[in-house]
Amino acid sequence: MFSAILNTNGKIGYLLLNSTSLIEYVAPEYMIYEVKKCFSKIEKITNKPFDEIERICAGTIKNVQLISESEIPFQPLDNGRRNCEWY
């Protein structure tokens, strides 16, 4: 998401904005909070005003299905961690 906002013409930005008929994007709801924490950094990198960054973010997020943390199945992650403990 961060990359797509930085460069909407880049590969990641292009995919998020133009491939919704081919790919279903899913992300946790807290992603919005995490991205918005970076807005001032994005402003400095891109020299774009806050309102334009907000508009780009909204356009990018509209193609992402946001799910709550309670919907994320953590069981496979816990199993994977246990399987990797011996490394």
Side-chain angles (χ1 to χ4, degrees), residues 1-20 23 25 48 55-64:
M1 184 60 108
F2 188 86
S3 295
I5 295 168
L6 281 177
N7 184 5
T8 55
N9 296 320
K11 290 178 184 178
I12 294 172
Y14 180 84
L15 283 172
L16 276 171
L17 295 170
N18 300 299
S19 66
T20 55
I23 301 170
Y25 297 100
K48 292 180 180 174
R55 183 187 55 77
I56 293 168
C57 182
T60 306
I61 287 175
K62 76 177 183 179
N63 297 324
V64 178

Side-chain angles (χ1 to χ4, degrees), residues 6-8 14 16 19 26 30 34 37 49 66 72-73 78 83:
L6 281 177
N7 184 5
T8 55
Y14 180 84
L16 276 171
S19 66
V26 180
Y30 64 82
E34 293 297 324
K37 284 192 329 188
L66 299 173
I72 300 171
D78 293 337
N83 291 336

